[in-house]
Amino acid sequence: MQNFVEISKKLLYKNSLTSVASGPNPIAPPNGIAQMDNIEVLREKLDQLRVEHRDLDGVISQMQAERSFDQLQLARLKKRKLEIKTQIASLESKLIPDIIA
């Protein structure tokens, strides 16, 4: 079993080179098919972020249960978890259609 420090390092740097989809692809044609593809991409990214958020929660809990742990590593994990939560909220707001009042 891997220790949680190795797992936390993987989680901290996982998807560091990828970014959250911020809008429609400028190359794709503006039709219904491209929009549906974009929605599916957003949903897949949302699912990945939720899994990563859940994994980080488990690692943070394990670290706090130990008597001695690296405070800096714990702070980084918590910061990453908060960043993921913000990305999740952003994606969820993109997936919910605007309601005109």
Side-chain angles (χ1 to χ4, degrees):
M1 180 176 168
Q2 294 178 337
N3 69 26
F4 60 84
V5 173
E6 292 173 6
I7 294 170
S8 65
K9 285 181 182 179
K10 287 180 185 178
L11 288 172
L12 278 174
Y13 301 108
K14 181 180 177 184
N15 298 329
S16 63
L17 299 177
T18 60
S19 62
V20 177
S22 60
N25 184 350
I27 299 171
N31 60 22
I33 294 171
Q35 186 176 10
M36 290 302 291
D37 289 342
N38 192 30
I39 290 172
E40 289 303 315
V41 169
L42 290 176
R43 286 187 179 150
E44 288 175 13
K45 182 65 178 176
L46 184 61
D47 290 341
Q48 291 172 354
L49 289 172
R50 285 180 176 153
V51 168
E52 187 175 354
H53 188 269
R54 199 171 28 246
D55 291 346
L56 278 170
D57 192 41
V59 171
I60 289 169
S61 296
Q62 285 180 350
M63 284 184 75
Q64 290 175 332
E66 297 235 341
R67 291 182 184 223
S68 62
F69 55 87
D70 185 3
Q71 290 286 338
L72 183 59
Q73 185 73 13
L74 182 64
R76 288 180 179 155
L77 289 171
K78 286 183 174 183
K79 182 178 179 183
R80 176 69 181 144
K81 185 179 170 190
L82 184 59
E83 290 170 353
I84 291 171
K85 185 176 180 180
T86 303
Q87 291 176 357
I88 289 171
S90 174
L91 285 176
E92 286 174 340
S93 69
K94 288 179 183 179
L95 290 172
I96 297 172
D98 293 333
I99 299 174
I100 300 173

